[in-house]
Amino acid sequence: MAADLPYKAAVKPKSSENDDICVKGICVYGNFDMGLQYEQHGAPFSPLATNPNQDGLIQKNGLGSYFGVAANQISSSYIGLRGSQEIADNLYAVFNLQTLFNPAAGTNANGQGSVAQNSGTTTNLSLQNSYSDSSKSGQLFNNAAYFGISSPTYGTFTVGRQSALTSDLAVNFDPISGSNAWSLLAGQGTNGGGGDTENRIYDNSYEYRVNIGPVRLAGIAQLRNGGNSGTGNAFEGDIGFDYQGLSADFVGGKIYDAVSAAPLSATQVQQAAALGLAVGNGQIAATISDNTVFAAAVRYTIGPWKLFGGYEWIQFANPNNPLNAGAFDSGGFIITAPNNTNFPSNKILQTVWVGARYSITPNIDIAGAYYHEWQNTFATSAATLAQCAVDGVSNSSCAGTEDAISLVADWRFAKHVDVYAGVMWTQVRNGLANGFLAAATNNAGVTNPTGPNKASTFDPGIGLRYQF
């Protein structure tokens, strides 16, 4: 995601000799990331998913071990075209077009496509490959497609498809920024999307940014596509500052009809066919919610050290504007099985993280991070509350936690090229472990009372990256 911020945040330090590929202010830029990975509990590699190895996080269909190809571990592979041209005194026209892709398969990142690919397998998770919902759903420019005007004095106004402010915060204040394999914030997308990863990028959006001395202000609004579509209207605001080595940001937002996609069950596949619903680019199930988010994060640089910390609070509520079967989702996918009643009481998801990055030499960095996430019990029925009291894992609305610990080393041994290695250990407990093969469920997703209430995995990997 960091490369989606050419006018919003520094992506990487410039070399002493500028060798950007530019003509008259228009530049081609890109990133390729490929390697090998071992997962203690994983699923087969996906050619479509934004994070082809399921982010390195423990997932519901992760049971047996995996060793093999791994793309986009420390960053996402992308290709882009951006420009800035002066159109009047101190006034510039700017634009950015960017797409994320899987370098192993040569396919555009398509999270919803990877979800739809696994429809009909929800009662036999061993048949599934890796999949992950995403804000990238196979579009030509799936990560950025915006333009606007920029002034050093009056700020920057852009319109189109662009990253949410919560996503910018997750990128800029994550100790292992942008790492799909070894960062909880980048891997699951929930935090950057204000509750749902599909909202890390907004279509139909209008954004304004301005600096006033050391203070930074920003606001973004997404307008609804139409009556029966997700995501609906969304609004976010940010205030931040930079003072000497200290940077901080505070973001708040409201997102209507947020979408969390999932594969259709075999029954839902049959029901969709019977209803004669349009196929679009694929059919998916989805949980719909109205989300409220607040986040705060800090970063402090002192000598070779960078210290990071952050906190995010997200509230999920049933939507005021429920979506019907046949609703349109991002990228042309069709929601054939919407769930508008998943939150009988509000779910509260909270996340804290801390970490540090240390430059051993100008070309060698190491980084470590700890992430902790927890949710409340948001069930209301007596039966479900009793289940939560007995084993804590038999229902997804039970209280639960997720923890992740990461360590990454990056060596920029040549111009534009670096080699890296990393590992992350993650564990889910109780409600956040519901339905996991490695926890208290069998292959059909039925609770096993004698099984554990937790599931964990670790994922060491190495890789090579080329940036230009």
Side-chain angles (χ1 to χ4, degrees):
M1 295 295 298
D4 184 32
L5 312 175
Y7 310 108
K8 306 170 188 178
V11 177
K12 59 181 180 179
K14 296 293 184 183
S15 60
S16 56
E17 179 183 348
N18 190 333
D19 59 356
D20 291 347
I21 307 172
C22 300
V23 177
K24 296 185 177 180
I26 298 176
C27 304
V28 177
Y29 65 100
N31 185 74
F32 294 82
D33 187 327
M34 188 79 172
L36 295 171
Q37 187 180 68
Y38 170 82
E39 292 184 75
Q40 181 189 21
H41 297 297
F45 185 87
S46 170
L48 295 177
T50 305
N51 307 319
N53 294 90
Q54 292 200 161
D55 324 328
L57 303 171
I58 182 67
Q59 299 289 342
K60 290 187 176 184
N61 58 4
L63 186 59
S65 63
Y66 170 88
F67 175 74
V69 61
N72 301 338
Q73 291 184 94
I74 200 172
S75 57
S76 294
S77 298
Y78 56 80
I79 189 75
L81 184 70
R82 64 189 176 203
S84 175
Q85 293 185 314
E86 190 169 15
I87 55 177
D89 288 343
N90 279 329
L91 185 65
Y92 299 83
V94 296
F95 76 91
N96 189 24
L97 302 171
Q98 186 191 104
T99 192
L100 270 59
F101 64 94
N102 181 338
T107 52
N108 273 8
N110 189 348
Q112 284 89 326
S114 72
V115 171
Q117 188 181 46
N118 286 279
S119 286
T121 64
T122 56
T123 57
N124 192 350
L125 303 188
S126 63
L127 296 177
Q128 296 181 347
N129 68 347
S130 299
Y131 70 88
S132 58
D133 192 13
S134 174
S135 54
K136 278 73 72 175
S137 48
Q139 303 96 328
L140 176 61
F141 302 113
N142 57 30
N143 201 43
Y146 63 82
F147 72 99
I149 56 175
S150 180
S151 163
T153 303
Y154 301 107
T156 301
F157 176 72
T158 51
V159 298
R161 176 173 169 80
Q162 49 197 329
S163 60
L165 301 182
T166 44
S167 181
D168 294 348
L169 182 143
V171 167
N172 293 322
F173 293 92
D174 184 355
I176 308 176
S177 176
S179 173
N180 298 306
W182 304 307
S183 164
L184 179 72
L185 302 184
Q188 68 176 7
T190 300
N191 306 96
D196 293 290
T197 186
E198 289 196 21
N199 303 319
R200 288 199 68 165
I201 302 175
Y202 289 137
D203 290 332
N204 322 314
S205 64
Y206 303 81
E207 181 183 88
Y208 177 67
R209 292 175 175 268
V210 65
N211 293 345
I212 305 173
V215 177
R216 294 175 276 104
L217 302 173
I220 190 171
Q222 173 186 270
L223 303 184
R224 181 185 297 276
N225 282 329
N228 190 26
S229 64
T231 299
N233 296 326
F235 309 94
E236 292 185 352
D238 172 87
I239 181 170
F241 69 86
D242 298 300
Y243 180 71
Q244 295 183 355
L246 179 65
S247 295
D249 269 278
F250 307 87
V251 174
K254 183 70 176 183
I255 306 163
Y256 295 93
D257 285 340
V259 174
S260 177
L264 293 168
S265 68
T267 300
Q268 290 170 336
V269 170
Q270 295 173 353
Q271 291 172 342
L275 291 172
L277 294 172
V279 175
N281 285 342
Q283 298 184 346
I284 54 175
T287 299
I288 315 301
S289 60
D290 289 347
N291 299 348
T292 305
V293 56
F294 295 99
V298 296
R299 180 181 66 244
Y300 182 62
T301 302
I302 177 170
W305 288 93
K306 287 185 179 180
L307 309 177
F308 302 82
Y311 168 77
E312 185 174 48
W313 180 94
I314 306 171
Q315 175 186 277
F316 302 77
N318 287 335
N320 289 327
N321 178 51
L323 298 184
N324 300 319
F328 297 103
D329 193 22
S330 175
F333 286 82
I334 306 298
I335 301 172
T336 57
N339 180 355
N340 295 290
T341 59
N342 194 60
F343 305 104
S345 65
N346 292 342
K347 170 185 172 180
I348 306 297
L349 182 70
Q350 301 178 75
T351 307
V352 295
W353 67 92
V354 294
R357 179 177 291 271
Y358 178 71
S359 296
I360 300 175
T361 73
N363 296 321
I364 302 176
D365 294 339
I366 58 172
Y370 169 67
Y371 310 86
H372 178 67
E373 185 173 271
W374 69 100
Q375 72 176 28
N376 63 321
T377 297
F378 55 93
T380 56
S381 73
T384 303
L385 291 172
Q387 285 181 326
C388 294
V390 171
D391 59 30
V393 72
S394 56
N395 196 289
S396 61
S397 59
C398 301
T401 62
E402 180 166 7
D403 293 278
I405 301 173
S406 302
L407 182 64
V408 175
D410 184 21
W411 176 31
R412 297 174 294 280
F413 67 91
K415 197 172 187 179
H416 299 294
V417 181
D418 56 329
V419 62
Y420 60 81
V423 63
M424 178 168 67
W425 172 84
T426 62
Q427 178 176 268
V428 287
R429 284 179 175 267
N430 298 326
L432 286 175
N434 173 259
F436 282 63
L437 289 180
T441 58
N442 62 26
N443 194 42
V446 178
T447 298
N448 175 11
T450 63
N453 69 337
K454 60 185 178 181
S456 64
T457 190
F458 62 89
D459 67 330
I462 59 173
L464 188 70
R465 177 171 57 174
Y466 168 56
Q467 298 173 295
F468 63 92

